[in-house]
Amino acid sequence: MGEQERAASKGDAAGPSAEDGSGVSLDAFRQILEAMDEVVIVADETGGIRYACPYIVRTTGYADGEIYSLGKAGSLFTEDPAEHLPPEPGASVSNVPTRLIAKDGNEIEILATVSRADIGGPSLLYVARSISDFDLSAELLDRIFRFSGNAIIIVHPTERTIVRCSPATESVLGYPPAELIGQSTRAIHLDEESYLAFGRISTERIGSHGVFQGEFPLRHRNGHRIEAEINTVPIAAPGESGRGYVSIIADVSARRNAEDAVAMIHDVVQETAACERIEDALVPVLRSIAMKSHWSVGEAWVRDKDHDGQYRRVAAYAGDDQAQRYIDATAGPALASPGGSIVAEAHKSKRPVLTARGGTTRSVAQASDPASGGHGYRAECAIPLVIGGNVNIVLTFLLDNMHENSGYWLEAVAAASAPLAALIERVSSETELRRRESELRKSRELLRSLARRIDQLREDERKEIARELHDQMGSDLTSLNFDLQFLREQTPASNEIAVKYLDSAERVVASMAGNLRDLATRLRPAILDVYGLPAGIEWLARDFENRCQCKMRIDIDDKDPGLDEGQTTALFRICQESLTNVLRHAKADYVSVSLHTRDGNIQLVVEDNGKGIDESFLRSSQRLGIIGMQERARSVGAKMTITGRAAGGTRITVTVPANAGARQLKE
């Protein structure tokens, strides 16, 4: 290209003047384009480069103005994304994967969006971002509301009432959007105490981190409790002095129920393992089951041979004061008749029973009678302990109401009762003891399998949400920024009200972009999937360094260790949990993270100079976080050790043997 032609191209890049009347002037967008950390190219209809933003010049290494000598925009890419563009005016294609070619020949993976636009005449507008950049933004609100599977609620900044709900609010919480609009968020909380607790916790979290992310119980429209995962970010409405909030709510009751069921079974196993007498285990077992399942009254019935096979209540647990009054009012011999009671029904069928028709030894009507200490219980269940083919013990529970997940918990409790039945077998026979140990081993393997499944579901859920944020929100906010800038150029400075609203809108867009970028990155960093474990661990360590202000030593091999997705995810999450524990508990000012491959073995080491870890804590039942790390390591054939450092602090080492993949496949 000659000097005159190059000058003409640069002249085109500046865009026509406002007087020529041909479309939108490129000058109107120059300021915002030059501030963006994205690739932006404007080309004519044939693909000739008219404008290239400074970011692409910095990224590709071309000297100022040199990029125009390439002629065609398509020459900057391994595959021109404009080849996928339909011929109609205004057409666009989004998120086309390709590579940007730097001056030195290196290739950068990107996602490109190309649109036909009128920018000083018919033009092609290229907007691209690095896949590893993850500088994402929000999809237009209406589109989010229409297609999100999660409930989305917007709270007014000054009136603190719900002003908008997504259609999914009805499927998640049971409320049609029109029914919630205008109400306080108190309507979806369990009670006043829960409502105030959420407000306090979320306000503190948003004040310190800019976003609330966590799980909190909510109330479904039909009255039952649901476990909800809530992500809340603050927003400011134009002209308002306070802050409103956008909350994304997902029903994770199934996952939480599964996790609580695992914890419940674990507690039952722990409570029964050291007991020599069945009576010693009954109350702890009843307590564990009632607390996890949110059932109010638990009772244990033993077959009484002296009373013609009737059942005698030998233990009881009350979940609250009213339940305790119920138990006190029914104290005494309390024999369950062989016929007509739920105990007898469970004894006969040898299967768990759930009903809303009658009581264990009393009817529901009696249970609701204040004179007998009743609490309005409307449902009950019974779980028989089958030992050697016979039933001699039945566990019963009273429920406030028959809920949607009552059947699920009945099955979970039935599974949890197996170790208790095994205890009785151990007391009666050494042979049965060996049988119980075998059952416990199988139960542990089942728990590990269930835990692995829960982890996989959680990872899939995180990845899906992160992908949804990544794929759908970038180009829309770019377009929104263009529109806002255009409006600003078209608005006279004398129109102070309009200028004020535009300023507010730009701040809201910037806030949403930052908050959603952080949210998506913490859900599932794209760098982990695109560049592998070394880059993911380094990103995690750098992020930790920024948050804790510790002195960091990062020593990571550049070479990809060649792990599969499950092993990569396990090591990444173990490192993440280790650094979280350092931040919460260690009080350290020095942390080291290393990842190396030695003789085919991959080794991750996280160590700190903090207060160390108590050996008694490693042996306690409260170390669920460490148990989770160990189970992650075990699930991918890795070995994890936790030791104290000679100079003080803790060292966590995870080693994946060279043949771990083959061994796991064989298992």
Side-chain angles (χ1 to χ4, degrees), residues 1-13 68:
M1 179 183 291
E3 289 297 320
Q4 290 181 341
E5 294 175 356
R6 187 155 42 248
S9 296
K10 290 186 177 181
D12 287 344
Y68 295 95

PDB file of all heavy atoms in Angstrom, residues 1-13 68:
ATOM      1  N   MET A   1       0.850  -1.192   0.000  1.00  0.00           N
ATOM      2  CA  MET A   1       0.000   0.000   0.000  1.00  0.00           C
ATOM      3  C   MET A   1       0.885   1.242   0.000  1.00  0.00           C
ATOM      4  O   MET A   1       1.807   1.359   0.801  1.00  0.00           O
ATOM      5  CB  MET A   1      -0.924   0.008   1.238  1.00  0.00           C
ATOM      6  CG  MET A   1      -1.828   1.224   1.313  1.00  0.00           C
ATOM      7  SD  MET A   1      -2.813   1.216   2.824  1.00  0.00           S
ATOM      8  CE  MET A   1      -3.893  -0.157   2.508  1.00  0.00           C
ATOM      9  N   GLY A   2       0.638   2.201  -0.919  1.00  0.00           N
ATOM     10  CA  GLY A   2       1.424   3.420  -0.982  1.00  0.00           C
ATOM     11  C   GLY A   2       1.108   4.363   0.154  1.00  0.00           C
ATOM     12  O   GLY A   2       0.143   4.192   0.896  1.00  0.00           O
ATOM     13  N   GLU A   3       1.954   5.413   0.276  1.00  0.00           N
ATOM     14  CA  GLU A   3       1.763   6.370   1.369  1.00  0.00           C
ATOM     15  C   GLU A   3       0.430   7.077   1.259  1.00  0.00           C
ATOM     16  O   GLU A   3      -0.259   7.311   2.258  1.00  0.00           O
ATOM     17  CB  GLU A   3       2.910   7.384   1.371  1.00  0.00           C
ATOM     18  CG  GLU A   3       4.248   6.818   1.807  1.00  0.00           C
ATOM     19  CD  GLU A   3       4.189   6.328   3.229  1.00  0.00           C
ATOM     20  OE1 GLU A   3       3.549   7.005   4.048  1.00  0.00           O
ATOM     21  OE2 GLU A   3       4.766   5.262   3.522  1.00  0.00           O
ATOM     22  N   GLN A   4       0.030   7.440   0.019  1.00  0.00           N
ATOM     23  CA  GLN A   4      -1.239   8.138  -0.140  1.00  0.00           C
ATOM     24  C   GLN A   4      -2.394   7.225   0.242  1.00  0.00           C
ATOM     25  O   GLN A   4      -3.351   7.664   0.899  1.00  0.00           O
ATOM     26  CB  GLN A   4      -1.392   8.615  -1.596  1.00  0.00           C
ATOM     27  CG  GLN A   4      -0.420   9.748  -1.954  1.00  0.00           C
ATOM     28  CD  GLN A   4      -0.618  10.194  -3.390  1.00  0.00           C
ATOM     29  OE1 GLN A   4      -1.190   9.469  -4.196  1.00  0.00           O
ATOM     30  NE2 GLN A   4      -0.145  11.385  -3.702  1.00  0.00           N
ATOM     31  N   GLU A   5      -2.312   5.945  -0.177  1.00  0.00           N
ATOM     32  CA  GLU A   5      -3.390   5.018   0.165  1.00  0.00           C
ATOM     33  C   GLU A   5      -3.456   4.799   1.665  1.00  0.00           C
ATOM     34  O   GLU A   5      -4.525   4.724   2.257  1.00  0.00           O
ATOM     35  CB  GLU A   5      -3.169   3.694  -0.551  1.00  0.00           C
ATOM     36  CG  GLU A   5      -3.294   3.804  -2.064  1.00  0.00           C
ATOM     37  CD  GLU A   5      -2.954   2.484  -2.733  1.00  0.00           C
ATOM     38  OE1 GLU A   5      -2.558   1.560  -2.009  1.00  0.00           O
ATOM     39  OE2 GLU A   5      -3.079   2.388  -3.946  1.00  0.00           O
ATOM     40  N   ARG A   6      -2.254   4.661   2.323  1.00  0.00           N
ATOM     41  CA  ARG A   6      -2.238   4.455   3.756  1.00  0.00           C
ATOM     42  C   ARG A   6      -2.803   5.660   4.480  1.00  0.00           C
ATOM     43  O   ARG A   6      -3.545   5.544   5.452  1.00  0.00           O
ATOM     44  CB  ARG A   6      -0.806   4.148   4.215  1.00  0.00           C
ATOM     45  CG  ARG A   6      -0.726   3.743   5.667  1.00  0.00           C
ATOM     46  CD  ARG A   6       0.480   2.881   5.972  1.00  0.00           C
ATOM     47  NE  ARG A   6       1.706   3.328   5.314  1.00  0.00           N
ATOM     48  CZ  ARG A   6       2.330   2.659   4.356  1.00  0.00           C
ATOM     49  NH1 ARG A   6       1.839   1.518   3.944  1.00  0.00           N
ATOM     50  NH2 ARG A   6       3.429   3.120   3.791  1.00  0.00           N
ATOM     51  N   ALA A   7      -2.465   6.820   3.985  1.00  0.00           N
ATOM     52  CA  ALA A   7      -3.019   8.039   4.599  1.00  0.00           C
ATOM     53  C   ALA A   7      -4.517   8.077   4.452  1.00  0.00           C
ATOM     54  O   ALA A   7      -5.253   8.479   5.366  1.00  0.00           O
ATOM     55  CB  ALA A   7      -2.389   9.277   3.949  1.00  0.00           C
ATOM     56  N   ALA A   8      -4.992   7.641   3.271  1.00  0.00           N
ATOM     57  CA  ALA A   8      -6.450   7.613   3.069  1.00  0.00           C
ATOM     58  C   ALA A   8      -7.098   6.642   4.037  1.00  0.00           C
ATOM     59  O   ALA A   8      -8.163   6.906   4.587  1.00  0.00           O
ATOM     60  CB  ALA A   8      -6.762   7.231   1.625  1.00  0.00           C
ATOM     61  N   SER A   9      -6.448   5.488   4.260  1.00  0.00           N
ATOM     62  CA  SER A   9      -7.010   4.510   5.196  1.00  0.00           C
ATOM     63  C   SER A   9      -7.073   5.082   6.591  1.00  0.00           C
ATOM     64  O   SER A   9      -8.051   4.927   7.315  1.00  0.00           O
ATOM     65  CB  SER A   9      -6.162   3.234   5.204  1.00  0.00           C
ATOM     66  OG  SER A   9      -6.214   2.607   3.941  1.00  0.00           O
ATOM     67  N   LYS A  10      -6.009   5.754   7.012  1.00  0.00           N
ATOM     68  CA  LYS A  10      -6.034   6.355   8.343  1.00  0.00           C
ATOM     69  C   LYS A  10      -7.091   7.433   8.422  1.00  0.00           C
ATOM     70  O   LYS A  10      -7.742   7.634   9.440  1.00  0.00           O
ATOM     71  CB  LYS A  10      -4.659   6.922   8.698  1.00  0.00           C
ATOM     72  CG  LYS A  10      -3.600   5.849   8.932  1.00  0.00           C
ATOM     73  CD  LYS A  10      -2.323   6.460   9.427  1.00  0.00           C
ATOM     74  CE  LYS A  10      -1.273   5.403   9.735  1.00  0.00           C
ATOM     75  NZ  LYS A  10      -0.034   5.964  10.246  1.00  0.00           N
ATOM     76  N   GLY A  11      -7.270   8.131   7.312  1.00  0.00           N
ATOM     77  CA  GLY A  11      -8.321   9.143   7.309  1.00  0.00           C
ATOM     78  C   GLY A  11      -9.678   8.516   7.483  1.00  0.00           C
ATOM     79  O   GLY A  11     -10.527   9.012   8.213  1.00  0.00           O
ATOM     80  N   ASP A  12      -9.902   7.381   6.805  1.00  0.00           N
ATOM     81  CA  ASP A  12     -11.170   6.673   6.985  1.00  0.00           C
ATOM     82  C   ASP A  12     -11.340   6.240   8.424  1.00  0.00           C
ATOM     83  O   ASP A  12     -12.436   6.227   8.958  1.00  0.00           O
ATOM     84  CB  ASP A  12     -11.224   5.452   6.073  1.00  0.00           C
ATOM     85  CG  ASP A  12     -11.420   5.839   4.611  1.00  0.00           C
ATOM     86  OD1 ASP A  12     -11.812   6.997   4.349  1.00  0.00           O
ATOM     87  OD2 ASP A  12     -11.167   4.969   3.765  1.00  0.00           O
ATOM     88  N   ALA A  13     -10.241   5.820   9.071  1.00  0.00           N
ATOM     89  CA  ALA A  13     -10.336   5.352  10.448  1.00  0.00           C
ATOM     90  C   ALA A  13     -10.852   6.427  11.367  1.00  0.00           C
ATOM     91  O   ALA A  13     -11.500   6.153  12.373  1.00  0.00           O
ATOM     92  CB  ALA A  13      -8.965   4.868  10.930  1.00  0.00           C
ATOM     93  N   TYR A  68      -2.136  -1.065   9.411  1.00  0.00           N
ATOM     94  CA  TYR A  68      -2.958  -0.734   8.244  1.00  0.00           C
ATOM     95  C   TYR A  68      -2.333  -1.252   6.944  1.00  0.00           C
ATOM     96  O   TYR A  68      -3.016  -1.424   5.937  1.00  0.00           O
ATOM     97  CB  TYR A  68      -3.169   0.775   8.155  1.00  0.00           C
ATOM     98  CG  TYR A  68      -3.973   1.314   9.310  1.00  0.00           C
ATOM     99  CD1 TYR A  68      -3.329   1.842  10.438  1.00  0.00           C
ATOM    100  CD2 TYR A  68      -5.357   1.263   9.295  1.00  0.00           C
ATOM    101  CE1 TYR A  68      -4.058   2.319  11.509  1.00  0.00           C
ATOM    102  CE2 TYR A  68      -6.096   1.737  10.367  1.00  0.00           C
ATOM    103  CZ  TYR A  68      -5.446   2.267  11.472  1.00  0.00           C
ATOM    104  OH  TYR A  68      -6.167   2.723  12.531  1.00  0.00           O
TER     105      TYR A  68
END
